[in-house]
Amino acid sequence: MSGSGSFRSILCAVDFSEHSIDALRFAIGLAGRDQAQLTVLTVNEPPLVEAAAAKCGATYLERETERELTNLVLGLMPGTADWAPVPHSAVRAGKPHTRILECATEEQADLIVMGTHGLGGYRPTFLGSVTERVLRHSTIPVLAVPLAAPDLVIFTDHSPIFHVGHVLAPVDFGPGTAQHVRVAEDFAHSFGASLLLVHALNELRGPAVLRFALQGLERERAEEARERLFELASTRCTADAESCVVSGKPADEIAGIAARHGVGLIVMGLSGEGASESRPGSVAYRVLTMTQVPVLALPPAQNEETAHAV
């Protein structure tokens, strides 16, 4: 990923579900915007490969998958648009998350785009297991696109148009904060969207006798956070950015703000509140399971590398 928020090589993993088709539309739009290489990958799992080989021959499944993948890509591509990328299709066999990460390395991808899904209506309870494993192990940014996001990108003859509105950057003031804000601002600029910086304070809880003391401490923490957000926006953002401080469970608050403010993209790190927190349990992971907004998740390795450079 370049310093301007653009990408050179994008890998989009699909499984022919509606979620992955929406992700592919977003990937086509990004590749067209950046004139990036686009690789579209699907992976056949071992039980399916073995069953197809026993019934139809060793090469049948791969041939049919290649045909179906080609038809899927061609069906989504804006055929007359001069900006449209020329995608490369790839079919692999094995464990999906392993093959996705291997292909990303082979193609020198600087972004992986995937669909994500869950159960439970507006607040699904878990990510797709493949997406979760890729998020756990990826060393490059992963864009997770939910099923509710098909209208965020529209293809015209002249360019892809992203209807993003607002880009939200949750801020925890950790070592990767400057990078998150920089990437979020770059996306906001390229999408013609506004940037919203949010810091979520965990609520302080204690005995009722300490209620007034806790309320005073909450006000002090909120004021300090507002000052730090203002300083961050003043020193790290080249354009005006909105900012707000909220109190509650961080993931709940971030997902709620995204829904209320018409946010079209969330940019945040996968390291959560601190480097010691496991990635699947981080605030970013919980946001991914709750929101209907695409989330660009930046891996800790990139956070730390960038933090040393700023």
Side-chain angles (χ1 to χ4, degrees):
M1 181 177 177
S2 74
S4 62
S6 61
F7 299 95
R8 296 180 296 273
S9 177
I10 297 172
L11 173 66
C12 182
V14 302
D15 61 3
F16 302 101
S17 67
E18 290 184 71
H19 295 85
S20 66
I21 292 172
D22 287 344
L24 179 54
R25 284 183 57 84
F26 213 101
I28 290 171
L30 285 177
R33 182 198 71 166
D34 298 341
Q35 292 298 291
Q37 172 184 312
L38 174 61
T39 301
V40 184
L41 169 71
T42 192
V43 181
N44 291 321
E45 297 190 65
L48 181 60
V49 174
E50 294 167 6
K55 187 173 182 179
C56 305
T59 62
Y60 173 81
L61 180 62
E62 183 175 357
R63 288 199 315 270
E64 287 301 301
T65 304
E66 286 178 350
R67 181 182 62 80
E68 188 172 348
L69 184 60
T70 298
N71 290 339
L72 172 64
V73 174
L74 290 177
L76 290 177
M77 292 293 292
T80 60
D82 56 9
W83 59 265
V86 180
H88 164 63
S89 298
V91 177
R92 303 290 173 84
K95 293 182 178 179
H97 75 280
T98 301
R99 296 294 178 256
I100 290 168
L101 294 170
E102 287 176 352
C103 188
T105 300
E106 293 167 7
E107 299 294 336
Q108 298 183 324
D110 49 5
L111 176 68
I112 297 172
V113 181
M114 303 180 66
T116 182
H117 68 277
L119 302 177
Y122 175 68
R123 292 194 172 185
T125 56
F126 63 92
L127 286 174
S129 60
V130 175
T131 306
E132 185 272 325
R133 290 187 177 96
V134 171
L135 287 164
R136 182 193 294 265
H137 297 291
S138 179
T139 58
I140 62 174
V142 177
L143 179 64
V145 181
L147 183 60
D151 296 331
L152 286 178
V153 57
I154 295 175
F155 300 152
T156 72
D157 288 341
H158 304 292
S159 67
I161 298 176
F162 292 87
H163 294 290
V164 170
H166 299 274
V167 174
L168 189 157
V171 172
D172 63 4
F173 302 115
T177 293
Q179 166 70 348
H180 304 164
V181 172
R182 184 182 301 117
V183 172
E185 184 185 29
D186 287 340
F187 270 95
H189 177 74
S190 68
F191 290 155
S194 60
L195 177 62
L196 175 60
L197 306 180
V198 175
H199 179 70
L201 292 167
N202 281 303
E203 284 185 304
L204 296 176
R205 299 185 180 277
V209 69
L210 297 178
R211 182 181 60 179
F212 293 110
L214 290 175
Q215 288 175 347
L217 183 56
E218 288 277 15
R219 287 192 293 270
E220 292 176 8
R221 294 171 69 220
E223 182 58 31
E224 179 185 358
R226 279 190 286 269
E227 291 176 358
R228 295 183 69 182
L229 275 182
F230 179 80
E231 180 181 1
L232 180 67
S234 301
T235 58
R236 295 295 182 182
C237 297
T238 58
D240 291 339
E242 301 176 60
S243 63
C244 69
V245 176
V246 293
S247 180
K249 294 181 179 179
D252 289 20
E253 295 298 327
I254 292 166
I257 288 173
R260 293 192 300 272
H261 287 257
V263 167
L265 178 68
I266 299 173
V267 178
M268 62 190 306
L270 277 171
S271 55
E273 297 95 335
S276 62
E277 187 174 355
S278 65
R279 289 170 68 178
S282 69
V283 171
Y285 182 83
R286 291 194 289 275
V287 169
L288 279 160
T289 66
M290 299 171 67
T291 186
Q292 296 298 303
V293 175
V295 176
L296 179 66
L298 306 177
Q302 189 181 62
N303 299 345
E304 294 165 7
E305 178 182 318
T306 307
H308 292 304
V310 295

